[in-house]
Amino acid sequence: MWFRIALAFCGLAGSALHAQAQTEPVVRIAELVIDPSQLDAYKAAVKEEMQAAVQSEPGVLAIYAVAEKDHPSTMHFFEIYASEAAYRAHIQSPHFRKYVSTTQTMIRSRKLIETLPVQLSAKKGAPGFNDLEP
């Protein structure tokens, strides 16, 4: 289901994204609510997918996942891709498809937010930010 929503989101975002140059970074934000009884299993699956994506896909610049302190089953994702093509390649990858099939029954709701990057900055050597440096 996540995959279908991601594809639908991609299609809806298409007109705005055509205005961006093909090589500009693409930033996706998502809010997911996870079934609390499956939270540990979800975290394991998403960590595996995120690590595989960052290690094996050159176009995946960063993926961050955080949980709300007072609502740990509500998670927010901040994803940065080198381009729209990199994002499309990511959602077709075997590790992303595995994540989708593994977690579809764990996710109670999701909200995807389309963004236009204004400024992406990171300190040199900051943990998790090295791929964003020129």
Side-chain angles (χ1 to χ4, degrees):
M1 177 153 192
W2 169 258
F3 181 70
R4 286 188 294 244
I5 289 173
L7 287 178
F9 179 73
C10 230
L12 292 173
S15 60
L17 292 172
H18 286 298
Q20 291 182 359
Q22 288 294 325
T23 58
E24 286 189 26
V26 172
V27 178
R28 303 273 190 231
I29 299 174
E31 177 183 286
L32 278 66
V33 177
I34 309 303
D35 175 356
S37 68
Q38 300 185 70
L39 186 57
D40 289 339
Y42 177 82
K43 286 181 180 179
V46 78
K47 285 178 183 179
E48 179 182 312
E49 191 283 329
M50 290 171 62
Q51 289 172 342
V54 171
Q55 290 174 358
S56 68
E57 296 180 61
V60 176
L61 302 181
I63 303 177
Y64 303 100
V66 296
E68 291 184 14
K69 190 178 264 188
D70 294 334
H71 305 281
S73 62
T74 300
M75 300 189 68
H76 299 267
F77 295 84
F78 188 81
E79 305 174 358
I80 305 173
Y81 302 92
S83 65
E84 180 64 22
Y87 171 70
R88 290 179 186 269
H90 170 67
I91 62 174
Q92 295 293 329
S93 68
H95 45 267
F96 184 78
R97 288 178 180 246
K98 177 184 176 188
Y99 159 80
V100 169
S101 66
T102 301
T103 63
Q104 63 186 0
T105 63
M106 301 175 188
I107 300 170
R108 288 190 171 171
S109 69
R110 69 179 51 78
K111 177 181 176 184
L112 303 173
I113 302 167
E114 180 180 347
T115 72
L116 295 173
V118 175
Q119 176 65 32
L120 302 173
S121 299
K123 289 187 177 195
K124 184 175 180 148
F129 286 91
N130 294 330
D131 290 339
L132 298 177
E133 296 176 21

